[in-house]
Amino acid sequence: MKIFDRETQSPPDARGRFGQFGGRFVPETLIPALDELEAAWTLARADPGYRKELTDLLENYAGRPTPLFQAERLVKALGLQARVYLKREDLLHTGAHKLNNTLGQALLARRMGKKRIIAETGAGQHGVATATVCALLGLECVVYMGAEDVVRQSPNVTRMGLLGAEVRPVEAGSRTLKDAMNEAIRDWVTNVRSTYYCIGSAAGPHPYPLLVRELQKIIGEEIAEQSLAREGRLPDAIVACVGGGSNAIGAFHRFASEKNTRLFGVEAAGHGLDSGKHGASLARGRPGVLHGSRSYLLQTDDGQVAEAHSISAGLDYPGVGPELSHLRDLGKLELLAATDVEALQAFQDLASTEGILCALETAHAIAALRYLPKLEFVVVNLSGRGDKDLDTIAKALLK
């Protein structure tokens, strides 16, 4: 496995724009910090020493490459004709794809001389992954988490504490991921000289969407290599759930220029796309600015950011990364959605047929398999495991 082996020719441009999306919409005080980060990333990416250390940690600490598993019993139970494979990011250390990103960013922070790391988290997986790498590298770690998510993702709050991180509950707003990100940005503005902000999604101001994509695209690179080994060709489709977008762009990026591979992003339909209680930014949002970049957002009629809803904390976000917004407008990204009820059913379907307890975020992608067009060979990015969601699932199923 070689990191950054394939050179990226796709956007963003020099201003961090993916078509009309992306860019930097931040206070002037943060521009020098973003310039510093972009310069440090450019140097690190080209440094064989950085690449070697990251590769070694991904292989020998995180557990890459993750397997590609054929879900034959799930396919039979759902009455599908396709051969469906699961990209098992749930088997990565810490239980989700998030570690790919935090390892790369923490090594970068250390190169930059930053000893304090802050992060935002919704489902808690990015917080756990950040706390993990901070423990590994001896860095201070503060994680902002919406108070609502602190309650419904309590196992991950405990894990972060055991790993030495300070978890700061955010009581403002909807008390979810959007508000946690707001507080993390406020912290960064105040402590920009000593602090590195480790963003978990392929969102935020440039260069974060690029940086996170480049650290997560190993998922798609492995899917391509493993698909050729197993099937002798690339998949007809890649399916991934979409919240902020890091697991999705990680799985999709390798295939964005492949004419014969379709990309399906599955958003949270919550109580239904017409209910007003959902997280389908790409399907029901419109372009606007949130957290430093331009992308599709859920908005009220007068342009205020609307509250999102999903049973899964990681999809409970009113925005999405700028690159996914761009792929949507290009017609390369096809949109599907799954309700809370459908995600719960998909969780049970996967558990009972394949013995896999997936995250509620991932369950949305499993649920969408019923709505795919007729295809022969499909890969679903199984982005995380469901330990963190068991209390939420148990309560929902007992209603």
Side-chain angles (χ1 to χ4, degrees):
M1 179 178 64
K2 295 182 179 179
I3 305 301
F4 314 131
D5 223 20
R6 290 164 51 91
E7 288 303 315
T8 298
Q9 303 298 329
S10 55
D13 62 20
R15 297 186 303 151
R17 298 279 185 154
F18 300 84
Q20 65 168 311
F21 303 105
R24 289 178 178 175
F25 296 84
V26 296
E28 195 66 30
T29 52
L30 283 181
I31 297 298
L34 291 168
D35 286 341
E36 178 191 23
L37 175 61
E38 184 177 11
W41 169 245
T42 301
L43 289 173
R45 192 181 186 281
D47 182 356
Y50 173 85
R51 294 157 69 125
K52 183 177 184 300
E53 186 173 13
L54 179 55
T55 299
D56 179 71
L57 286 171
L58 286 170
E59 290 179 348
N60 300 311
Y61 183 72
R64 300 214 72 90
T66 56
L68 194 66
F69 169 71
Q70 187 170 5
E72 295 178 278
R73 296 193 71 246
L74 175 67
V75 164
K76 184 176 180 181
L78 297 181
L80 305 177
Q81 300 302 312
R83 297 184 303 283
V84 174
Y85 289 81
L86 308 177
K87 180 58 172 165
R88 297 292 307 276
E89 291 298 291
D90 60 310
L91 295 180
L92 201 69
H93 179 44
T94 73
H97 66 290
K98 295 294 188 179
L99 194 64
N100 301 318
N101 174 45
T102 59
L103 278 171
Q105 288 204 57
L107 291 176
L108 182 62
R110 190 179 66 179
R111 283 174 63 101
M112 295 171 68
K114 311 285 187 181
K115 297 182 179 180
R116 179 176 181 265
I117 308 294
I118 60 172
E120 85 296 328
T121 196
Q125 287 300 131
H126 175 61
V128 168
T130 303
T132 297
V133 297
C134 286
L136 177 68
L137 300 178
L139 302 169
E140 180 185 352
C141 182
V142 175
V143 179
Y144 289 91
M145 190 172 191
E148 175 73 17
D149 294 334
V150 167
V151 173
R152 62 178 171 173
Q153 306 282 238
S154 60
N156 275 344
V157 177
T158 301
R159 292 169 75 192
M160 286 183 270
L162 292 172
L163 289 162
E166 177 190 350
V167 179
R168 295 185 181 176
V170 177
E171 296 285 353
S174 60
R175 305 162 78 236
T176 57
L177 179 57
K178 170 178 68 71
D179 312 291
M181 199 165 185
N182 288 340
E183 289 302 314
I185 291 172
R186 290 189 185 99
D187 185 318
W188 194 32
V189 170
T190 305
N191 302 290
V192 69
R193 290 187 179 181
S194 62
T195 297
Y196 182 98
Y197 180 18
C198 184
I199 289 183
S201 296
H206 178 68
Y208 280 107
L210 169 65
L211 195 162
V212 175
R213 180 195 77 193
E214 291 297 285
L215 292 170
Q216 291 289 5
K217 73 178 187 180
I218 191 170
I219 300 170
E221 298 287 353
E222 287 181 5
I223 289 173
E225 184 177 338
Q226 291 167 327
S227 295
L228 290 170
R230 297 287 292 275
E231 291 278 341
R233 66 182 183 91
L234 297 179
D236 296 318
I238 309 293
V239 182
C241 62
V242 175
S246 66
N247 101 87
I249 199 62
F252 293 158
H253 182 69
R254 165 63 179 79
F255 303 95
S257 60
E258 296 287 348
K259 294 181 180 179
N260 296 322
T261 300
R262 299 168 70 175
L263 308 179
F264 291 92
V266 186
E267 295 188 293
H271 297 320
L273 291 180
D274 295 325
S275 68
K277 298 286 187 179
H278 60 77
S281 306
L282 289 168
R284 292 301 177 93
R286 61 183 191 271
V289 174
L290 177 66
H291 296 144
S293 73
R294 192 168 193 267
S295 67
Y296 275 96
L297 307 177
L298 297 179
Q299 300 177 57
T300 62
D301 291 340
D302 59 356
Q304 298 299 308
V305 178
E307 287 190 12
H309 164 78
S310 174
I311 194 172
S312 63
L315 303 185
D316 194 358
Y317 183 64
V320 65
E323 188 165 8
L324 291 176
S325 298
H326 182 54
L327 289 175
R328 174 207 185 277
D329 276 11
L330 290 176
K332 181 61 181 178
L333 178 60
E334 301 179 60
L335 302 178
L336 297 171
T339 65
D340 291 349
V341 171
E342 288 172 323
L344 284 166
Q345 183 59 56
F347 173 89
Q348 294 175 85
D349 290 339
L350 184 60
S352 63
T353 59
E354 303 292 0
I356 298 171
L357 300 176
C358 71
L360 278 173
E361 290 79 9
T362 301
H364 286 70
I366 298 297
L369 288 173
R370 297 177 183 273
Y371 304 117
L372 289 181
K374 188 175 181 180
L375 299 166
E376 293 182 359
F377 173 24
V378 176
V379 175
V380 179
N381 192 29
L382 201 75
S383 56
R385 70 186 185 213
D387 310 45
K388 65 187 180 60
D389 294 317
L390 295 183
D391 186 53
T392 298
I393 292 165
K395 287 178 181 177
L397 293 178
L398 287 173
K399 284 184 178 179

